[in-house]
Amino acid sequence: MRAKPPALSEGEQDPESIVRLNGDTYVSARSMDAGLTQSALPWPQLMMCFRALQTMFLSASRPPGHHAETNKAMGFCLFNNIAIAARHAQRLYGVERIAIIDWDVHHGNGTQEIFERDKSVLSARPSTASLSRHRRKG
């Protein structure tokens, strides 16, 4: 038997309450903080690129965020980390062209959805023979 949690102040959430957003994406009271921290991870490297301290960077974050779409969290991803970094580079630094190479084993549907009509961002993943652009089936 588990002890009853203490009473919460107004505006507080029960840290043990978990909400299922969809098939495999759940959130709790601390998910927003964790998601915002995770989505900010690429920014220091991005800023170093624009200060000419490096020319490219690898963002190896988990979850990668590549399933989160424009208005929908999914696939364990609350925010699309690399899409946020790409838009940040475009708006703050005036970057005209960006290539996002998604090395994950499976398709980054969120990154595709965000950029599929944007010719300034190439969102691709390696295939067995070459680099293939994310494409919607059907």
Side-chain angles (χ1 to χ4, degrees):
M1 182 196 274
R2 195 163 74 177
K4 183 177 176 183
L8 300 173
S9 301
E10 185 176 332
E12 280 187 314
Q13 289 183 320
D14 178 354
E16 294 183 21
S17 65
I18 296 174
V19 176
R20 184 177 183 180
L21 297 180
N22 53 51
D24 52 15
T25 308
Y26 296 81
V27 292
S28 69
R30 292 185 175 76
S31 293
M32 182 61 83
D33 289 337
L36 289 172
T37 299
Q38 187 69 18
S39 67
L41 289 176
W43 292 20
Q45 291 177 318
L46 182 67
M47 290 181 354
M48 288 177 68
C49 286
F50 294 102
R51 291 184 180 143
L53 300 173
Q54 63 189 53
T55 57
M56 66 180 94
F57 71 90
L58 169 70
S59 178
S61 59
R62 299 303 293 161
H66 69 166
H67 292 301
E69 296 182 351
T70 303
N71 295 309
K72 183 178 180 183
M74 63 187 309
F76 306 104
C77 304
L78 298 183
F79 303 105
N80 194 310
N81 309 332
I82 198 63
I84 293 168
R87 286 293 185 230
H88 184 72
Q90 288 177 319
R91 292 181 180 151
L92 190 62
Y93 297 107
V95 174
E96 295 178 11
R97 295 183 305 166
I98 295 174
I100 297 171
I101 312 302
D102 187 344
W103 291 95
D104 204 287
V105 173
H106 57 283
H107 180 64
N109 59 294
T111 306
Q112 175 189 337
E113 182 268 336
I114 292 167
F115 295 118
E116 70 184 339
R117 290 178 182 81
D118 184 342
K119 299 206 182 291
S120 70
V121 178
L122 169 66
S123 172
R125 67 185 180 122
S127 68
T128 54
S130 64
L131 194 62
S132 62
R133 184 172 175 94
H134 285 308
R135 297 184 197 278
R136 203 175 278 254
K137 293 182 180 180

